[in-house]
Amino acid sequence: MRAMVLPRPGLPLEARDLPARDPGPGEIRLRVAACGVCRTDLHVVDGELPFLGRPVVPGHEIVGRVEALGPGVDRFRTGDRAGVPWLAWTCGACRFCRSGRENLCARAQFTGYHRDGGYAETVVADARYAFPIPAAFADDAAAPLLCAGLIGYRAWAPVRAAGRLGLYGFGAAAHLVVQLARHAGQRVFAFTRPGDAEGQAFARSLGVEWAGPSDEPGPEPLDAAILFAPVGALVPAALRAVDAGGTVVCAGIHMSDIPSFPYALLWRERSVRSVANLTRSDGEELLALAPAVPLRAEVVRYPLDRANQALADLRAGRLRGAAVLFP
Ligand SMILES: [Zn+2]
Ligand SMILES: [Zn+2]
C-alpha cells in the first residue's frame, strides 16, 4: 500500500510502498477514504514533538471502511465506516484512565505518532478507539471532525456557557467551534493574525459578530477565549481581552513560550488552562451533536502524494478551513 512516510523530523514526507499489515487481536484495518491534515502533524514533521526514533506515517483524522478484522473485534463489521482519531491506545489501569481522564494517561499512544496513521491507503487501529461515523457526513466532511472537531470540542466544552467567546487563530478547529458556539447561542469574536483580511472575512461568513487582529482587544470584554494559534504571546493578549472571572483555554499540543505579564492580567479570578488530547467520551458526544448543528467542515482537497504541499499550506496559513488528503 502507498503511504507518505516521515523518515525523521525536518525532512519532507516520502512516498513509499509498504506492506499492508494484518490486524492483530482487537484491531481493524481500514481502507482509508480521507485523512485530515492537522497542526499536530506539523508539530511531528517539524520536530516540535519529540522524535520517537523511527519513521512514521502521520495523520490522525482518518475516515475509512473496515476491510479486515482482527480476532475478538465486535464493534465493527467488514464494510462499516469508521473514524480513527489521535488517541490510539491508553493503559486502562492508571488513575487517569480509571477516572474518565484517559486523555491524560502517561502511557497513551497516539495515531500518526506512536503508531502509523492515515497518510496512506490503509491503516490498522485498535477498534476500541475508533468511532462509527454518522451517515450525515461525507468522508471528506467527517475527517476534520476527528481532531479539529474533537480538540475544538474539548476546548469549547469548559466555556460553552460563556456569553461572549473569543477565538484566537481561525483555522480548522475554530471554524468548527464557531458553529458549535453559534448553535449554543454564544456571541463569537474572532481574532486573527493582524492584516489577515481573508481570515477575518472567512470568520464573518461563519457567523462571528466581529473579526479583527489578535494584537488588539475586541470591541467589548470577553467571558472566555480559546487559543488555537500556537503563539504564546496570545496568552497575555487573551487575558487582556477577557473580563474578570474569564477563562482562557489553550487548545494546542505545542505553543511558543509565553512572555511574562503583569499579575493584574490574571487577578480578579481570570484563569488560564490547557486541554490535552481527547477521551472517547468526547468523540461520542461530538459525533452525537454534530448532525444536529449541523457541523459543516470547509475542506481543501489534496491527493495523498501532495501531502507535503498540504503541510506547507497549513504552515503558511494559506488554508481556508481544513486540508484533507485522498489516497
Ligand atoms: Zn492510563
Ligand atoms: Zn490533530
Side-chain angles (χ1 to χ4, degrees), residues 59-72:
H60 56 269
E61 297 181 303
I62 309 165
V63 174
R65 283 170 186 74
V66 177
E67 66 173 15
L69 300 170

Side-chain angles (χ1 to χ4, degrees), residues 2-318:
R2 200 82 170 148
M4 295 299 288
V5 178
L6 176 71
R8 63 177 166 78
L11 295 178
L13 305 185
E14 292 173 5
R16 291 188 192 167
D17 282 310
L18 302 178
R21 190 161 78 73
D22 285 330
E27 291 183 329
I28 51 177
R29 188 172 74 222
L30 298 183
R31 175 66 44 178
V32 177
C35 183
V37 176
C38 172
R39 183 165 293 280
T40 299
D41 301 336
L42 271 187
H43 295 320
V44 172
V45 168
D46 292 343
E48 287 156 342
L49 294 182
F51 179 49
L52 300 179
R54 64 168 188 87
V56 68
V57 178
H60 56 269
E61 297 181 303
I62 309 165
V63 174
R65 283 170 186 74
V66 177
E67 66 173 15
L69 300 170
V73 173
D74 51 13
R75 265 168 67 76
F76 294 98
R77 280 187 263 181
T78 307
D80 284 353
R81 196 159 66 136
V84 177
W86 174 241
L87 188 72
W89 182 88
T90 56
C91 81
C94 72
R95 68 189 184 92
F96 296 114
C97 283
R98 285 186 288 109
S99 58
R101 295 178 293 168
E102 62 188 3
N103 60 309
L104 301 180
C105 176
R107 295 176 59 205
Q109 295 190 1
F110 300 107
T111 309
Y113 186 46
H114 299 93
R115 297 176 173 213
D116 282 342
Y119 288 17
E121 289 174 332
T122 69
V123 67
V124 172
D126 185 324
R128 298 170 301 164
Y129 295 82
F131 301 111
I133 299 293
F137 295 98
D139 297 334
D140 58 349
L145 302 184
L146 290 163
C147 189
L150 270 170
I151 295 299
Y153 178 78
R154 188 165 182 89
W156 172 71
V159 295
R160 65 198 299 169
R164 297 164 298 184
L165 176 65
L167 302 177
Y168 284 74
F170 209 82
H175 101 286
L176 295 169
V177 167
V178 67
Q179 298 174 49
L180 294 171
R182 295 291 301 134
H183 181 70
Q186 292 176 291
R187 297 170 61 199
V188 188
F189 301 77
F191 297 78
T192 73
R193 278 187 269 215
D196 182 9
E198 200 177 330
Q200 292 164 16
F202 179 41
R204 282 189 208 98
S205 75
L206 290 166
V208 307
E209 187 168 318
W210 173 92
S214 57
D215 57 354
E216 292 173 20
E220 58 183 285
L222 305 169
D223 300 302
I226 305 174
L227 272 52
F228 292 110
V231 180
L234 291 175
V235 173
L239 281 169
R240 206 168 263 122
V242 299
D243 208 347
T247 300
V248 173
V249 181
C250 303
I253 193 168
H254 170 85
M255 192 180 245
S256 56
D257 285 355
I258 301 170
S260 74
F261 55 86
Y263 177 60
L265 292 185
L266 192 62
W267 165 240
R268 301 192 71 221
E269 302 196 349
R270 292 178 184 85
S271 55
V272 178
R273 62 166 295 177
S274 65
V275 292
N277 311 317
L278 68 136
T279 65
R280 284 171 282 180
S281 299
D282 292 332
E284 283 151 20
E285 287 169 29
L286 176 70
L287 292 171
L289 177 60
V293 172
L295 274 185
R296 292 191 199 290
E298 184 119 351
V299 167
V300 184
R301 301 167 61 105
Y302 296 82
L304 176 61
D305 60 10
R306 300 263 294 157
N308 287 307
Q309 186 62 47
L311 289 166
D313 289 346
L314 176 60
R315 190 185 285 109
R318 285 192 289 264

